Amino acid sequence: MTSQQGLNPTLTNDSAEETLDLSQYWRTIKRAKWLIAAVTMVCLLIGGYIAATATPIYQASSKILADPQQPNAAREEQYIASALVFLFYETQYEILQSRAIAETVVDKLDLVEKYKKEQLANKGKKASGLSATITEIKQEIVALFGKDESAAPAKKRSDHEIKVMLAADIQAGLKVSGGKQSQIINISYQSDDPQLATDIINALGEAYIQFGLESRLGDVKNTEKWLSEQSSELKAQLSASEEKLRQFRMQQGIVDSSLQQRDSNSRLQSLNSQLISAQTELSTAEELYRQVEGVKPDSKAFYSLGPVLQNKTASDLVKEEARLQSKVDELFERYKEKHPKMISARTELKSVRDSLSREIAKIVDRIESDYRLASQQVNNIQRLISNEKDEIQSLQGSNFTLTSLEREVENNRRIYESFINRLMETNIRGDFTASNVQVIDTATVPTSPIKPNVKLIVALSVFMGVFFGVVLAFVKEALHNTYRTPDALEENLNIPALGITMALKKKDTHTIPEMEYSEDTRSVFAESINSIRTGLQFSNIDNPPKTLLVTSATGAEGKSTLAMNLAAAYSQIGKTLLLEVDLRKPSIAKNLKIQSRHGLTDLLAGTVNFADCIVNPTDNKQFNVMPCGTIPHNPIELLSSEKFAKALQSLKTHFDHIILDGPPTLPVSDACIVGTKVDGVIVAVRAEETKIKVSKEAVKRLQKLHANVIGAVLTVAEPQKMSYYGDHYYSGEYYGTVVQPENVKS
């Protein structure tokens, strides 16, 4: 467990620092380049077929100038609100796309008759090829549902129905735009017949202009007719009212009532102005009168009245009284009451006060007199106004009928003159045939179709092909559940990746894979084994594992090849034993061509001694092999026995390194038993074949029994394929840097 604990911190830090690696996505696309190319080619073929078989569509266009202001022979400058302009153009779009305009185009071009002729011509032609096949399939499908369209003859359409149908087709193919930043309206129509598209657009412009003229002139004619009828009636009413007024004047002997009315109104207006002025003076006088009415005769409240303050004599007396009062107060403090100066001062003060009282009494009398005079003046004016009103009412009573008749004549005359002016303007407008709409550019016959756009279809086909190809590549990548790189081992198994063993091809080697290291210690394969050996030695530098079990999740994952070559590599640095503990399906003796039949089981049974079980398959005396021997009936009991544990301890005293070639972990539990008796376990995982879930279960079983799983090795790997998963996988640099010393706990 020491090595696992030593390597996990590095893995944890790497996981915490994961960032978005765009090169990983590029490598995924690069791996699926042929799939993407195939999907792109299929989409390109489909797009090419669509472009080749599609019916060419031509577009004819025209420009129309539409002025929101109606033309007028006597037109002055007109102003139209922007909101009304917007509504005007929206209305024109609706008119251009209306069924009435479309039906007018059908009539102009006589499209109904052309349609009938085309139908008769098509009846004589027998359907063939793809269209005939589609028709037959359609009939068969309809027959399955109990309906046979061929048995029921098609109902013949009337001319009106054909006209409506063709008008609907024109409406569907018509496009109208413009009129926002300018007064130009663009109209276009698409059809498989370029001449027909041109004729329809030109006829549409003519029909639109004709519709506008007819609508405007129709309104003018209706207005003119109504105005003529109303003018005749108004003329008769005016003549009757004038005759009635003339007869009344002759009977009453009245010349004109307007002059008398103006004089009376003028006098009444003058009296009203005088009344307002008199009422204002009365209000002021009344206010002063109310102030003095409630004040006592000798009260000093009179001193604060406006008329008193404005009267110079009273104002001087008030000041003199104040001065004398101050003097009396001063003498009283000095001489008291009996002193002659005090008596003289009081006499002088009394004289001033008597004069002031008399002056105030005069002011109060004047205020009362002004109030009574103002009140009398208001009453007199009101009486005059009342008399004047009586006179006016008398005048109105006598001339009411005359005034009414004069008003009636005047009103009839104004209405009649207004209608006459409108009628003259309408007559002028009816003679003015100019239109506010005109064609700027007529449609010309298009020389090239706008559909299908071959370049666009091809570009979209390539784009969609690449898009779907990339999507399929990522889906395929997401569904992949095997190992391709050592990084995947660490990510899924949470144990260090010790390295890889290359897939050996026959043309690249002269011996079996199990003997590749012994045959050529300087090959790339041998370097990968050395890299694994180095990683194992550094997994616990103070106490490196001496006994190593090589196992796998299932069979045929390259564990025996790994064990044999790893033992050969360890033999370069010490005396090494390759011990076969796969007692169910042993393979070492066969692969290394060992003739001896004795092995581990025979040693445990006690039938042979130690020396009889050891074999040297190569010239290297450091490389020793102990095969399985006689296949037992109870392998698990033999491996879990005390004899096997003692034999393993005994072997450790004779050899520096012991590599155990064990059985698979999942089919049997032998590897789990042996894993608890060794220093470390190596799990072999075959590249692109071993399922992730299977290998996870194998590691989980071993760790559950407290086996020291040091790491995993990716076997039978192809570096050229691995280069698609990272540039560092396809070179010799990988084999020497799988496990760095600084990343391993010492």
Side-chain angles (χ1 to χ4, degrees):
M1 299 301 292
T2 305
S3 62
Q4 185 176 348
Q5 293 171 354
L7 291 174
N8 278 344
T10 302
L11 299 175
T12 304
N13 293 335
D14 292 342
S15 300
E17 297 176 359
E18 286 184 357
T19 56
L20 181 63
D21 187 6
L22 295 179
S23 62
Q24 186 72 18
Y25 297 107
W26 170 245
R27 287 191 289 270
T28 300
I29 295 173
K30 195 174 178 182
R31 287 194 298 272
K33 59 184 178 181
W34 296 115
L35 172 63
I36 296 173
V39 174
T40 303
M41 183 58 65
V42 171
C43 291
L44 188 59
L45 291 174
I46 294 173
Y49 175 78
I50 292 173
T53 57
T55 303
I57 301 298
Y58 297 85
Q59 177 174 288
S61 302
S62 177
K63 292 182 182 293
I64 296 177
L65 173 63
D67 191 350
Q69 298 177 349
Q70 293 292 336
N72 194 335
R75 170 174 162 181
E76 297 179 356
E77 192 66 28
Q78 301 177 21
Y79 297 95
I80 301 179
S82 58
L84 295 179
V85 172
F86 176 77
L87 293 176
F88 169 78
Y89 283 106
E90 290 296 326
T91 303
Q92 302 313 302
Y93 300 158
E94 295 294 332
I95 292 174
L96 281 165
Q97 294 176 314
S98 64
R99 183 167 59 87
I101 297 294
E103 289 181 354
T104 303
V105 173
V106 173
D107 293 336
K108 277 180 173 291
L109 301 179
D110 199 15
L111 296 181
V112 174
E113 292 300 323
K114 292 181 180 179
Y115 177 81
K116 288 181 179 180
K117 292 178 181 179
E118 289 180 0
Q119 292 298 313
L120 291 174
N122 291 334
K123 274 188 179 181
K125 295 180 181 180
K126 185 177 179 180
S128 59
L130 181 61
S131 60
T133 304
I134 294 175
T135 302
E136 292 177 1
I137 294 173
K138 181 179 178 182
Q139 291 176 354
E140 291 294 334
I141 294 173
V142 172
L144 290 175
F145 292 95
K147 295 181 180 180
D148 190 359
E149 292 184 350
S150 60
K155 182 181 177 182
K156 187 176 180 181
R157 291 175 176 171
S158 64
D159 289 352
H160 178 70
E161 291 175 339
I162 296 174
K163 180 179 178 179
V164 172
M165 179 191 68
L166 294 175
D169 292 340
I170 292 175
Q171 288 178 277
L174 183 66
K175 292 183 180 179
V176 181
S177 62
K180 295 180 180 178
Q181 301 297 329
S182 67
Q183 295 181 347
I184 300 299
I185 298 177
N186 300 308
I187 57 174
S188 60
Y189 182 77
Q190 297 179 1
S191 173
D192 56 353
D193 186 350
Q195 185 61 50
L196 178 62
T198 305
D199 294 341
I200 287 176
I201 282 297
N202 290 331
L204 188 73
E206 295 175 1
Y208 173 54
I209 294 174
Q210 181 182 353
F211 176 83
L213 286 173
E214 290 178 353
S215 298
R216 184 167 61 85
L217 293 177
D219 292 341
V220 170
K221 295 298 181 183
N222 292 334
T223 304
E224 183 180 358
K225 181 181 178 182
W226 182 78
L227 288 174
S228 298
E229 295 175 354
Q230 294 297 319
S231 297
S232 300
E233 294 180 2
L234 290 173
K235 185 176 182 181
Q237 290 180 7
L238 177 59
S239 300
S241 61
E242 288 177 342
E243 180 62 24
K244 191 175 181 180
L245 175 61
R246 189 180 65 82
Q247 293 293 337
F248 182 78
R249 283 178 175 175
M250 291 177 62
Q251 292 176 2
Q252 299 295 328
I254 300 175
V255 179
D256 193 358
S257 61
S258 59
L259 183 59
Q260 297 176 355
Q261 185 71 31
R262 282 197 297 271
D263 291 341
S264 299
N265 290 337
S266 177
R267 291 195 300 272
L268 181 60
Q269 184 176 3
S270 177
L271 289 173
N272 284 330
S273 299
Q274 295 176 14
L275 176 62
I276 293 172
S277 178
Q279 287 176 339
T280 303
E281 294 177 359
L282 174 61
S283 177
T284 304
E286 184 178 7
E287 182 178 358
L288 292 174
Y289 178 73
R290 299 302 178 197
Q291 289 178 1
V292 301
E293 186 179 19
V295 180
K296 294 180 179 180
D298 296 333
S299 176
K300 290 187 177 183
F302 284 110
Y303 297 171
S304 61
L305 292 177
V308 174
L309 296 175
Q310 294 173 1
N311 189 285
K312 187 176 183 307
T313 302
S315 178
D316 292 341
L317 290 174
V318 169
K319 292 178 182 178
E320 184 66 19
E321 180 191 15
R323 187 184 67 79
L324 293 174
Q325 182 64 48
S326 175
K327 181 179 180 181
V328 168
D329 293 339
E330 183 180 353
L331 293 174
F332 179 77
E333 292 291 334
R334 184 180 298 178
Y335 301 109
K336 301 302 179 183
E337 193 67 38
K338 301 296 185 177
H339 196 276
K341 289 185 178 182
M342 183 66 182
I343 295 172
S344 175
R346 284 193 178 279
T347 302
E348 188 177 358
L349 176 61
K350 182 177 181 302
S351 176
V352 170
R353 283 179 176 174
D354 292 340
S355 298
L356 180 60
S357 297
R358 288 193 297 273
E359 189 64 30
I360 289 175
K362 291 179 183 180
I363 293 172
V364 171
D365 291 340
R366 190 180 305 114
I367 290 174
E368 292 177 354
S369 176
D370 291 343
Y371 169 68
R372 287 193 296 272
L373 181 61
S375 178
Q376 184 178 2
Q377 186 177 3
V378 169
N379 292 333
N380 292 335
I381 294 174
Q382 287 178 344
R383 185 175 65 257
L384 292 174
I385 289 175
S386 178
N387 295 335
E388 191 64 33
K389 286 182 178 180
D390 292 339
E391 291 181 6
I392 291 175
Q393 289 178 358
S394 176
L395 179 62
Q396 288 179 346
S398 61
N399 295 328
F400 179 78
T401 304
L402 178 62
T403 304
S404 177
L405 292 174
E406 289 176 346
R407 188 182 299 111
E408 182 180 358
V409 170
E410 185 63 26
N411 290 339
N412 289 339
R413 180 177 291 109
R414 283 200 301 268
I415 295 173
Y416 175 71
E417 290 176 354
S418 175
F419 268 74
I420 290 298
N421 292 333
R422 289 287 305 278
L423 180 59
M424 293 176 64
E425 292 177 1
T426 304
N427 289 333
I428 295 173
R429 289 175 57 194
D431 296 335
F432 190 69
T433 58
S435 174
N436 64 323
V437 177
Q438 57 180 321
V439 177
I440 301 299
D441 292 335
T442 58
T444 58
V445 179
T447 57
S448 59
I450 64 166
K451 296 179 183 178
N453 190 336
V454 178
K455 293 182 180 179
L456 179 60
I457 292 175
V458 171
L460 287 177
S461 300
V462 172
F463 173 77
M464 296 302 294
V466 172
F467 175 76
F468 286 119
V470 171
V471 170
L472 286 176
F474 281 104
V475 170
K476 182 181 177 183
E477 185 74 14
L479 296 176
H480 187 77
N481 61 349
T482 60
Y483 296 95
R484 291 170 171 170
T485 64
D487 292 341
L489 291 176
E490 295 183 350
E491 181 181 349
N492 291 282
L493 299 180
N494 293 322
I495 58 175
L498 299 173
I500 68 169
T501 61
M502 295 175 55
L504 297 174
K505 300 179 180 179
K506 291 184 178 181
K507 64 178 181 178
D508 298 328
T509 181
H510 300 288
T511 183
I512 59 176
E514 290 81 358
M515 297 294 293
E516 177 65 23
Y517 189 94
S518 300
E519 187 71 20
D520 186 1
T521 58
R522 303 187 64 180
S523 65
V524 177
F525 180 86
E527 287 299 328
S528 67
I529 297 296
N530 287 335
S531 179
I532 296 171
R533 182 190 64 190
T534 303
L536 291 170
Q537 287 178 319
F538 280 102
S539 63
N540 190 345
I541 195 169
D542 293 332
N543 187 22
K546 189 172 184 179
T547 55
L548 294 170
L549 171 65
V550 180
T551 184
S552 61
T554 59
E557 293 191 41
K559 62 177 180 57
S560 296
T561 302
L562 174 62
M564 295 178 196
N565 285 282
L566 189 61
Y570 267 104
S571 68
Q572 300 294 319
I573 58 174
K575 191 175 182 180
T576 304
L577 173 65
L578 174 61
L579 178 62
E580 186 173 27
V581 292
D582 187 355
L583 306 183
R584 299 177 187 268
K585 290 184 179 181
S587 60
I588 290 180
K590 178 181 178 181
N591 291 329
L592 299 183
K593 298 180 180 180
I594 298 175
Q595 301 297 327
S596 175
R597 296 185 177 181
H598 301 301
L600 176 62
T601 57
D602 301 308
L603 178 64
L604 296 178
T607 57
V608 294
N609 57 26
F610 173 75
D612 296 332
C613 300
I614 302 299
V615 179
N616 294 106
T618 64
D619 296 336
N620 185 3
K621 300 302 181 181
Q622 297 284 84
F623 183 28
N624 301 278
V625 178
M626 181 181 290
C628 168
T630 305
I631 298 177
H633 296 289
N634 53 351
I636 191 169
E637 294 179 2
L638 191 63
L639 293 174
S640 60
S641 64
E642 189 67 25
K643 288 184 178 182
F644 174 74
K646 290 180 179 180
L648 187 60
Q649 290 297 325
S650 176
L651 291 173
K652 290 172 68 175
T653 62
H654 292 83
F655 297 96
D656 297 325
H657 308 284
I658 301 176
I659 307 300
L660 289 83
D661 179 18
T665 303
L666 295 183
V668 293
S669 58
D670 299 3
C672 297
I673 298 298
V674 177
T676 60
K677 301 179 183 296
V678 296
D679 297 335
V681 179
I682 303 171
V683 179
V685 178
R686 183 158 184 162
E688 298 194 16
E689 289 206 16
T690 303
K691 306 298 181 184
I692 294 176
K693 186 176 181 180
V694 172
S695 59
K696 279 186 175 181
E697 180 63 25
V699 173
K700 183 178 179 181
R701 287 190 184 184
L702 290 168
Q703 292 177 341
K704 192 174 182 180
L705 294 175
H706 305 289
N708 181 20
V709 182
I710 296 178
V713 175
L714 191 67
T715 62
V716 199
E718 297 184 33
Q720 189 168 2
K721 286 186 178 180
M722 292 173 60
S723 66
Y724 291 119
Y725 301 94
D727 296 337
H728 63 286
Y729 292 127
Y730 184 58
S731 63
E733 70 176 286
Y734 172 78
Y735 301 115
T737 59
V738 174
V739 180
Q740 299 293 344
E742 58 268 322
N743 293 336
V744 183
K745 182 179 178 181
S746 59

